[in-house]
Amino acid sequence: MKYPKFTDGCHSLLCKFLTKEVFEELKDRKTSNGFTLSKAINSGVVNEDSGIGVYAGDEESYTLFAPLFDPIIKEYHGFGTDDMHVSNFDPKDLDISNPDPEGKFILSTRIRVGRNLADFPLGTIISKTQRDKVESLVSDTLKSLKGELKGSYYPLKGMSKDVKEILIKDHFLFKEGDRFLEAAGLNRDWPDGRGIYHNDDKTFLVWINEEDELRIISMQQGGDIKEVFTRLSKAVTLIEQKASFMKTKHLGYITSCPTNLGTAMRASVHIKLPILSRKMDIFEEIIKENHLQIRGIHGEHSQDESGIFDISNKRRLGINEVQCAYDLFNGVKKLIEKESSL
Ligand code: ADP
Ligand code: DAR
């Protein structure tokens, strides 16, 4: 393996931290699942416009390739090698009201966590047999859910193009063909082993074998962040009684991308900010001050549409689930105050 050729246009954390010295130290290492440095960095080598550019293959990757992963984790999360992640998913500690009770700004709220099964490697190196086993284990566990969480599992294999497109357009199903995931080996054997579980109201959904083995999602129209958080907390607690997830004291829940470590939580709103969107310097200052990030409304790497934005927490590691929700709530309140004042 040769040291990759990065152009001056590469601004990913991979380019920043994969020095020739780190490369020489790591290039011949391999985890017990056969995951190599080459596999870990391929997405960022192939896609120079990556923000991060690396993915893990298993829990071991985060220690075996620590000279590369640790500075990336420090830069993205502000989380050091001696820090310990903590968790608090208790809705009782989230003392907030709806930041947009009249529904003037927030179209919808969605909170998701990523999870991976402890007894399997991550999606970047998992075999087809293992991935199919994850699909059957997780879908069987979900079928035992009752009440509001009761629903059905829909394998992607065999799903009609029309149904798929409607689910994606309505923001319920993951997009396909993401080039970053492709280059990380996360789309192998597509669509086998992938699918979506959802309840009748589509307020509770679980993606199986996309970027992580589970994406557990709670979502609804409007801005009631607390209600969405409470539903997710209840669902994750129930699922965790039957499934054991990959996690460590240091990094919390282990995910394929280091940006999702810790809580693996992204709490987001789709919000109309037509005036503020014309003053992006002020908009971006509020986003930065409140540890948030902006996405387009059709998922990562999409553009915003007509002044509607996907606003979500950026920090996920070194803070707990309640604090992630507060990051979103506090930032959204500031954005609404500024939009109203303009
Ligand atoms: P993830 O949140 O899992 O990291 P994406 O940013 O790609 O992934 O979003 C996944 C899907 O969820 C996309 O279809 C996106 O439109 C939808 N989505 C995200 N946030 C919201 C929200 N607050 N309301 C409605 N849909 C949302
Ligand atoms: N697209 C990759 C991953 C960035 C974080 N988003 C995830 N994990 N979906 C990049 O390096 O830009």
Side-chain angles (χ1 to χ4, degrees), residues 108 110 112 171 215 266 268 270 295 297 299-300 310:
S108 52
R110 174 183 183 269
R112 63 85 168 152
H171 309 296
R215 286 288 174 92
R266 193 169 86 85
S268 70
H270 279 182
R295 292 184 183 186
I297 63 167
E300 190 168 25
D310 174 323

Side-chain angles (χ1 to χ4, degrees), residues 180-193:
F180 302 94
L181 303 186
E182 178 71 30
L186 284 158
N187 293 345
R188 288 170 299 123
D189 309 307
W190 196 277
D192 294 18

Side-chain angles (χ1 to χ4, degrees), residues 70-137:
D70 282 354
I72 288 175
I73 289 166
K74 178 72 178 166
E75 176 100 355
Y76 183 88
H77 295 284
F79 187 83
T81 51
D82 299 331
D83 294 333
M84 285 298 147
H85 180 69
V86 286
S87 183
N88 177 13
F89 218 148
D90 188 343
K92 284 198 296 301
D93 293 337
L94 183 61
D95 183 17
I96 61 171
S97 57
N98 186 335
D100 179 25
E102 292 165 27
K104 288 163 65 180
F105 304 96
I106 300 175
L107 299 173
S108 52
T109 299
R110 174 183 183 269
I111 306 179
R112 63 85 168 152
V113 292
R115 291 290 187 270
N116 292 281
L117 297 188
D119 301 331
F120 292 83
L122 297 171
T124 45
I125 191 81
I126 200 168
S127 71
K128 182 176 184 330
T129 308
Q130 289 170 319
R131 189 188 304 107
D132 291 346
K133 183 73 179 156
V134 167
E135 181 191 30
S136 64
L137 285 172

Side-chain angles (χ1 to χ4, degrees), residues 298-314:
H298 293 290
E300 190 168 25
H301 307 119
S302 66
Q303 298 308 314
D304 71 80
E305 289 179 13
S306 65
I308 304 172
F309 297 88
D310 174 323
I311 303 296
S312 60
N313 63 300
K314 184 178 180 206

Side-chain angles (χ1 to χ4, degrees), residues 34-217:
F35 197 71
T36 59
L37 177 70
S38 172
K39 290 183 188 301
I41 68 173
N42 190 60
S43 187
V45 170
V46 169
N47 300 289
E48 272 218 354
D49 56 339
S50 291
I52 314 298
V54 298
Y55 291 85
D58 41 31
E59 179 183 320
E60 189 186 347
S61 298
Y62 284 104
T63 45
L64 195 69
F65 302 114
L68 175 60
F69 276 96
D70 282 354
I72 288 175
I73 289 166
K74 178 72 178 166
E75 176 100 355
Y76 183 88
H77 295 284
F79 187 83
T81 51
D82 299 331
D83 294 333
M84 285 298 147
H85 180 69
V86 286
S87 183
N88 177 13
F89 218 148
D90 188 343
K92 284 198 296 301
D93 293 337
L94 183 61
D95 183 17
I96 61 171
S97 57
N98 186 335
D100 179 25
E102 292 165 27
K104 288 163 65 180
F105 304 96
I106 300 175
L107 299 173
S108 52
T109 299
R110 174 183 183 269
I111 306 179
R112 63 85 168 152
V113 292
R115 291 290 187 270
N116 292 281
L117 297 188
D119 301 331
F120 292 83
L122 297 171
T124 45
I125 191 81
I126 200 168
S127 71
K128 182 176 184 330
T129 308
Q130 289 170 319
R131 189 188 304 107
D132 291 346
K133 183 73 179 156
V134 167
E135 181 191 30
S136 64
L137 285 172
V138 175
S139 53
D140 284 352
T141 299
L142 296 172
K143 282 169 192 162
S144 66
L145 293 173
K146 298 182 175 22
E148 179 197 17
L149 303 178
K150 182 173 171 23
S152 301
Y153 176 63
Y154 304 91
L156 207 58
K157 191 172 183 179
M159 187 185 284
S160 76
K161 192 166 175 292
D162 294 351
V163 167
K164 215 186 299 185
E165 281 175 0
I166 291 166
L167 285 169
I168 292 170
K169 186 180 64 64
D170 292 344
H171 309 296
F172 296 123
L173 181 60
F174 42 75
K175 295 179 295 190
E176 297 184 37
D178 180 292
R179 59 189 163 92
F180 302 94
L181 303 186
E182 178 71 30
L186 284 158
N187 293 345
R188 288 170 299 123
D189 309 307
W190 196 277
D192 294 18
R194 279 80 177 191
I196 179 171
Y197 171 97
H198 64 74
N199 65 359
D200 294 342
D201 297 340
K202 297 195 187 83
T203 55
F204 172 64
L205 309 96
V206 180
W207 295 351
I208 296 182
N209 287 321
E210 189 235 10
E211 180 176 330
D212 289 300
E213 285 153 16
L214 292 85
R215 286 288 174 92
I216 309 169
I217 301 158

Side-chain angles (χ1 to χ4, degrees), residues 279-304:
K279 297 178 181 303
M280 283 311 283
D281 53 341
I282 300 174
F283 192 168
E284 285 168 355
E285 193 184 323
I286 297 173
I287 291 291
K288 192 165 186 311
E289 282 166 2
N290 290 277
H291 316 292
L292 298 177
Q293 60 182 161
I294 306 176
R295 292 184 183 186
I297 63 167
H298 293 290
E300 190 168 25
H301 307 119
S302 66
Q303 298 308 314
D304 71 80

